[in-house]
Amino acid sequence: MSSQMRIKIVEEMNDEYLSDLINGGNTVYVKPGIYAMSTRKIEALIKIAKLQKYYQCNPVRFISDFFGIELIDAQAWIVQRSWNCPNVLVVATRGLGKSTIIDLIIMSKGMLFNNFWSYIASGSGGQAEQTFTTLERLANDNIDEMVGSTGYIFKNEVEVKNAAGDGFSHSSNGFTYSLYNGSMTQTLNSNIDAKRGMRGTVIFDESGFLSAEMMKVYGAFAIVNKSFKTGKDRDGNLIDPIRLRTFPTNIPNQKFYISSASSTDTEFYRLYREFAKRQLIGDQDYFVAHIDCEVAFRPTMHGKVIAPLLMRSTVETEMATNPEKARREYYCEFTTDAGLNAIIKRGTIARNSETRVPLLYNDTGKKKFVFAYDPARSRDNSVILIMELYIDEHGDYKGRIVNCVNLLDVGKKRKSQMQTPDQIKYLKELILDYNVNAPDYENIEAILIDAGSGGGGVNIADYLMEDWVDDNGNKHRGLIDKEYSADYVGKYPNAIDKLRLVSPTQYKSIIYEALIEMMNLDCISFTSDYDNKGYLTLFEVDDKLYNSEKRKITEELQKQKVPEAEFNMKLEEEMKKSSCIKTKLVRLDPYQEIALKNIDALKEEMVNMVRKKRDSGKDSFELIPEKANKLHDDRSYCMALCAWFLSEKRAERIRNKKRNFDYKIIDMLPVTPRKQVEKIFG
C-alpha cells in the first residue's frame, strides 16, 4: 500500500496539486529545504498516519487493540455514538461502568488527537477524583475485572514532570496529568469562580446532582469551534481557505453529561428532555442514551449473552430498602420529590456530602456525639441517628452525620423483633460504643428522644434512669432529663442529666426551622451516596507535604520577584503539579454498608418534606402527599432534632462570647495612664 506513494518537491502549492490531495492522490508534496527523509521512514510515517486516521474513526476497535479491553455492546454503542458528537447525555444504571466508559473515551482521545484537553466536573463527594482514580487504575492495569488489559501503553504516554512521581498529580486544586502530545485531563470541583475561561471537552460526572450554575460555567469551556483555523505559511503568506482544507480536522469539544437519573426538578432532567427532542428530530449534534438495569442483568458482547454485570437480587434488596433511590439509580426513572417546595433541596445535601466511612464507635475516644432517637409509630421503624459535634477552624460548632440505625435492620440481624426492652438494651450498647470510657458520659452531648404519645419515648426514658450493668459486668450510671422528669430526680440521684425529651406538638415547628437554617448555612455534612460496591475510595491531604511544597514554591516565586497581581495565580499553577493527596481504598463491613444505606434513606426523606402553612404561625412539616404512604419521616425527624441541638449549641457559644467580652474602655486604651481614664469614666 505505502509503496504506491511518491514524493514530489514543489516550491508552492497550485490548484493542480491541491486537487490531487483532496481527491485522494498518492503523491506527498514537500517544500525544498525541509530536512531529507528516507523513503522507508516516509513509508513508516504514512502507515502510522493511516492507522491513526482509522482508529480516530473506530474508537471501540482502538480500545480493543491498544488497551486489550473488550466492551460489552451497550458500552461500545455509547463510545461509538458519542465519539464526535458535541452534546452527549447518558442516563445509565449503576453497575454499567459509567466511570470506565468516561475514562476510556478520555484516554483514547488523548492518544489519538494532539492537544485534546478534557475536564471532569463534579459537585459532590469527590466524584470527579473517583473517576480520575479509575483512569489511573486502568493505566496501571489494576482492575480485576479486566484480565489482560494493556493500560501501560497509555501510561507510557503520560508526561512525568517529577522524577519521584508517575505523571499523575493529586493536588488539592485538582487531579491532573498531561501526555507528550499536548493532551491533558484535569478534575474540576465546585469552586467555579477560579475556573472561568478554560477551554476543552467537559465531562459532567453524576451530573444529576450538579447545580445549573456549575453546568453553565463549565459548559462554556466547550463553546470554541475547533474547526476554525487561520495563520501564515513558512514564507509569511496568509494560508488561503482552499489550502486550509488540507489540514486534518479536530474532534469537536464536547459537553458530556453522564449520571444515574435524578429528580424532575434538576437541570440534568431539563437537558435530558431538550437533548432527546433534538435527537428525535434528527439533529446529529445531540445524542442521548438511556440504559436501565435490565441491560445489566443480561449484558451482551458481540451479540452473545454473558455473565450479568448486576445481580437482580441486589436491585430487589435496594427496592425494599430505599425504593425512590433504587428507581433512579437502577431503573433510570426520573422521580418527583418536593422540588421547589422542598424545605431542603437535593443540591444542598449534595453540596454538603463527602466520601467517608460511617463511624460505628468513638475511634479516638475524644469525639463528641449527639443521639436522636425516635421510637416512631411502630416498634419496627424506630430510628437512632448519631451526629458528631465538632468545632471548625473558625471556632463555630458544626455537625457530621456518622451513623443512622433502623432498628428493623438490627432486629433482622439478631433474628428477633425489637421489643421495647431490646431497643433500650441496644441504645445502651450504642451509648457505650460512642462514649468509650469517658466518665459521666462526657463524650455524649445529649440523647434527644421523641416524647410524642405515639412513639412511647417517655416510657423509654423511664427505663434509662436507673443504674445498670452491661454484659461484661460493668456498672453504669443512669440517664435522665432533669427538667422533663423533675419528679424523678430525687428517686434517681445518681442519674446523669443527658436526656432531652422533646414534645413534637410543642417543638416540631421549631426543630424543622432549625434544620432549614443549619442546612442553608452548610453546618451539617453527610456521607456521599453509596453505590453498593462494598468499598470506598478515600482522598486524604498530606498536610505536611502540602505545606512543605507550598513553602518551597512561595520562596521560589519571591526570589523571581513575581508581581503581586500574578503571584496567587502562579502559586496555584505550581501547586497543581504537586501530589499532596493520598488515595486509599477502604473495604466496608456489612454494618458500615447498612449505615450508608440508612443515611441515603435519610436524605430521601429530607428532600420530600414540605412546609404547610398554619394560621397559628407555627407551620407544620410533613411528607408530600404522593410520598406519604411510600416513605417514613422518622429519619428526617431525628435529623431535625440533631439540627435543633446544633443550633442551640451555636447560639450558646455566641452568647458566651458576648458574656465574656470585657467592655472596659480602660483595657481597650492601654497607652493611656490608668488613673486618667478612671477619672473620666470611673
Side-chain angles (χ1 to χ4, degrees), residues 449 456-466 479-480 485 499 501:
I449 301 179
V458 176
N459 294 332
I460 287 174
D462 292 343
Y463 286 103
L464 295 171
M465 297 181 194
E466 192 175 3
L479 296 153
I480 193 172
S485 306
L499 295 186
L501 289 164

Side-chain angles (χ1 to χ4, degrees), residues 360-540:
L360 305 185
Y361 60 93
N362 196 332
D363 56 342
T364 66
K366 298 179 181 180
K367 293 177 179 177
K368 309 293 183 182
F369 299 92
V370 180
F371 282 55
Y373 177 31
D374 183 6
R377 283 31 111 204
S378 67
R379 62 174 179 264
D380 284 340
N381 201 47
S382 298
V383 171
I384 301 172
L385 184 69
I386 302 169
M387 179 179 74
E388 181 189 350
L389 200 67
Y390 68 97
I391 298 175
D392 68 3
E393 64 274 15
H394 304 295
D396 298 321
Y397 274 108
K398 293 283 187 71
R400 185 183 289 121
I401 302 301
V402 298
N403 194 7
C404 184
V405 180
N406 185 342
L407 295 180
L408 174 62
D409 297 327
V410 179
K412 287 179 178 178
K413 287 287 181 181
R414 298 188 175 188
K415 301 186 185 304
S416 63
Q417 290 186 332
M418 295 291 286
Q419 306 284 350
T420 297
D422 296 322
Q423 290 191 34
I424 294 168
K425 183 179 180 188
Y426 188 74
L427 176 62
K428 288 177 177 178
E429 291 173 2
L430 282 177
I431 292 170
L432 293 183
D433 287 340
Y434 288 92
N435 184 60
V436 195
N437 297 316
D440 301 334
Y441 304 105
E442 288 181 358
N443 287 334
I444 308 298
E445 291 281 337
I447 300 166
L448 312 168
I449 301 179
D450 176 29
S453 58
V458 176
N459 294 332
I460 287 174
D462 292 343
Y463 286 103
L464 295 171
M465 297 181 194
E466 192 175 3
D467 293 350
W468 57 283
V469 179
D470 62 27
D471 292 339
N472 297 320
N474 300 315
K475 189 175 182 179
H476 304 277
R477 298 172 69 177
L479 296 153
I480 193 172
D481 183 339
K482 287 187 176 182
E483 183 178 344
Y484 196 99
S485 306
D487 296 340
Y488 290 87
V489 173
K491 187 177 180 180
Y492 301 102
N494 201 39
I496 303 293
D497 188 22
K498 291 283 184 176
L499 295 186
R500 296 293 181 268
L501 289 164
V502 183
S503 170
T505 305
Q506 184 178 358
Y507 285 99
K508 190 171 183 178
S509 176
I510 296 172
I511 65 174
Y512 269 100
E513 294 289 1
L515 173 62
I516 296 169
E517 181 186 13
M518 293 296 98
M519 289 300 301
N520 289 336
L521 291 174
D522 296 335
C523 292
I524 303 174
S525 69
F526 304 83
T527 54
S528 297
D529 287 355
Y530 181 49
D531 56 9
N532 297 304
K533 290 182 178 179
Y535 65 87
L536 296 177
T537 305
L538 304 182
F539 306 100
E540 299 175 350

Side-chain angles (χ1 to χ4, degrees), residues 458-650:
V458 176
N459 294 332
I460 287 174
D462 292 343
Y463 286 103
L464 295 171
M465 297 181 194
E466 192 175 3
D467 293 350
W468 57 283
V469 179
D470 62 27
D471 292 339
N472 297 320
N474 300 315
K475 189 175 182 179
H476 304 277
R477 298 172 69 177
L479 296 153
I480 193 172
D481 183 339
K482 287 187 176 182
E483 183 178 344
Y484 196 99
S485 306
D487 296 340
Y488 290 87
V489 173
K491 187 177 180 180
Y492 301 102
N494 201 39
I496 303 293
D497 188 22
K498 291 283 184 176
L499 295 186
R500 296 293 181 268
L501 289 164
V502 183
S503 170
T505 305
Q506 184 178 358
Y507 285 99
K508 190 171 183 178
S509 176
I510 296 172
I511 65 174
Y512 269 100
E513 294 289 1
L515 173 62
I516 296 169
E517 181 186 13
M518 293 296 98
M519 289 300 301
N520 289 336
L521 291 174
D522 296 335
C523 292
I524 303 174
S525 69
F526 304 83
T527 54
S528 297
D529 287 355
Y530 181 49
D531 56 9
N532 297 304
K533 290 182 178 179
Y535 65 87
L536 296 177
T537 305
L538 304 182
F539 306 100
E540 299 175 350
V541 179
D542 189 334
D543 292 325
K544 186 177 179 180
L545 180 59
Y546 178 84
N547 293 328
S548 175
E549 289 291 318
K550 189 174 183 178
R551 185 173 59 254
K552 288 179 183 177
I553 295 169
T554 301
E555 290 173 355
E556 183 62 31
L557 293 176
Q558 289 171 345
K559 286 181 183 178
Q560 297 174 10
K561 298 181 179 180
V562 176
E564 187 177 348
E566 301 176 14
F567 192 92
N568 289 333
M569 184 178 69
K570 289 275 188 183
L571 178 62
E572 183 178 347
E573 286 297 318
E574 291 300 318
M575 286 300 297
K576 288 178 182 178
K577 303 173 185 176
S578 175
S579 293
C580 303
I581 296 181
K582 298 178 180 178
T583 304
K584 183 168 66 173
L585 192 72
V586 179
R587 295 286 177 185
L588 302 172
D589 65 39
Y591 289 98
Q592 290 171 328
E593 289 194 89
I594 291 172
L596 289 173
K597 292 177 181 180
N598 272 310
I599 294 173
D600 284 349
L602 159 66
K603 299 175 193 175
E604 204 63 45
E605 292 179 14
M606 290 171 65
V607 299
N608 282 286
M609 297 294 294
V610 294
R611 180 194 298 271
K612 292 292 182 74
K613 290 288 185 181
R614 286 183 173 176
D615 295 336
S616 64
K618 286 188 176 181
D619 299 338
S620 67
F621 296 87
E622 55 193 63
L623 291 166
I624 55 175
E626 52 265 45
K627 297 294 173 68
N629 297 321
K630 299 178 181 179
L631 295 175
H632 297 286
D633 65 353
D634 310 285
R635 297 179 183 87
S636 69
Y637 180 69
C638 287
M639 183 69 220
L641 285 171
C642 287
W644 169 70
F645 185 85
L646 175 62
S647 68
E648 291 294 303
K649 290 290 289 187
R650 288 171 63 89

Side-chain angles (χ1 to χ4, degrees), residues 121-123 190 192 196 204 206-220 255 257 262 265-271 340 345-348 350-351:
S122 175
S190 56
I192 58 178
R196 298 178 189 269
F204 297 92
E206 289 300 337
S207 40
F209 306 99
L210 298 181
S211 68
E213 183 187 12
M214 180 182 287
M215 288 187 179
K216 181 180 179 181
V217 173
Y218 289 164
K255 288 183 285 187
Y257 306 90
S262 61
D265 65 324
T266 59
E267 178 69 6
F268 181 63
Y269 180 67
R270 188 191 70 78
L271 292 172
L340 295 175
K345 302 296 189 292
R346 201 178 289 276
T348 304
R351 184 176 70 236

